[in-house]
Amino acid sequence: MTTSTDAATATMIALIGSLADNKSALGRRYGEWAVSAPTIESAVAAAAMAQDELGHARSTYPVLAKLGASHEEDSLAAGQPLHVIERELPDWASFIAANLVVDGILTTFVASARDSSIEPLAQRARKILQEEGSHRRHAEAWARRIARAGAGDLERLLAHVGEMWTESSRWPGPDDDRGYGEAISQGMVSESPAAVRGRVRDWLVELLAEEDVRVELPEPTDWSGWDPEHRR
């Protein structure tokens, strides 16, 4: 019979492994824009963000050892990020959407682990959050800029935000997931999947509303086909 600790630990192994996989993929996607961003300043920011994300991935994988798993041996950390960042981002609007939505979901989850009972995770979470502040400011500034430009740029941004939200919002999992609930009760994380989504939703809706742009970011309801190991 699976114990409560086993369920919580299995969930955290999946979350931490997938977090690192997605951080690694984000680093590669950001890096691909380091020479083709629309401004020199944004190219520099893309390169710096890429370095940050790759560093976050590298420092996160070893946390799995604390939970009895490893990146090399455990199938839960087999390098399978969200589909929306598996391949090169097609345009700058998709870069900003990834910065807003994918990075937003992952960082909000990390924030819920800053005081984790898994001490190596808590240490890395606090370091990651220090660096993610600049990523958020970059995303907010470009979201406002694109919203003010309107027309095709804004249409592309909203289309990418919607696409990325559809997949990324499922990453934390269903709110009634037993393992996640037990991880909360054991202090491994502090907030539920719905709370993580809610924080990101509130931020993005308010950010775009300030520019008179309305966006719908629904709570996921269909969990058929969702893989709890790879979080997609």
Side-chain angles (χ1 to χ4, degrees):
M1 180 176 180
T2 301
T3 66
S4 128
T5 300
D6 288 337
T9 300
T11 297
M12 292 305 296
I13 288 172
L15 285 162
I16 293 167
S18 181
L19 171 67
D21 287 346
N22 281 286
K23 286 282 189 178
S24 180
L26 269 180
R28 294 193 298 275
R29 300 293 82 82
Y30 288 166
E32 288 160 356
W33 279 89
V35 295
S36 52
T39 67
I40 293 176
E41 293 79 8
S42 289
V44 171
M49 289 163 58
Q51 184 176 16
D52 286 345
E53 297 296 353
L54 292 171
H56 297 167
R58 183 169 184 173
S59 69
T60 300
Y61 283 123
V63 178
L64 294 171
K66 179 70 175 178
L67 300 175
S70 71
H71 175 49
E72 295 79 13
E73 299 171 1
D74 197 280
S75 62
L76 299 180
Q80 297 192 40
L82 295 170
H83 296 295
V84 289
I85 55 170
E86 278 188 312
R87 298 178 181 83
E88 186 173 349
L89 298 170
D91 51 38
W92 186 245
S94 65
F95 179 105
I96 300 306
N99 193 179
L100 289 166
V101 180
V102 181
D103 213 353
I105 288 284
L106 298 178
T107 300
T108 304
F109 167 76
V110 169
S112 78
R114 76 181 87 198
D115 296 313
S116 176
S117 57
I118 306 169
E119 185 53 33
L121 176 60
Q123 292 173 352
R124 284 156 179 79
R126 291 190 287 267
K127 175 63 174 175
I128 288 171
L129 292 172
Q130 290 175 3
E131 297 175 346
E132 283 290 342
S134 62
H135 298 205
R136 177 170 173 144
R137 290 189 293 274
H138 181 269
E140 290 176 336
W142 268 101
R144 293 189 182 100
R145 182 170 178 170
I146 292 173
R148 291 166 190 171
D153 288 344
L154 179 57
E155 289 178 7
R156 282 188 291 274
L157 176 65
L158 293 178
H160 288 307
V161 164
E163 176 190 13
M164 292 187 181
W165 177 264
T166 296
E167 187 175 7
S168 301
S169 66
R170 288 161 57 90
W171 182 84
D175 206 47
D176 60 356
D177 181 78
R178 183 171 69 89
Y180 207 120
E182 290 169 359
I184 293 173
S185 70
Q186 295 178 37
M188 295 175 172
V189 288
S190 63
E191 293 191 317
S192 69
V196 170
R197 285 187 284 270
R199 286 188 182 277
V200 180
R201 181 188 297 111
D202 290 348
W203 165 54
L204 293 179
V205 168
E206 181 178 354
L207 172 66
L208 291 170
E210 290 172 357
E211 304 299 331
D212 296 321
V213 175
R214 187 169 180 268
V215 62
E216 295 286 342
L217 302 173
E219 187 72 6
T221 56
D222 181 7
W223 294 97
S224 60
W226 183 75
D227 181 354
E229 296 184 354
H230 297 110
R231 320 303 297 178
R232 62 183 195 176

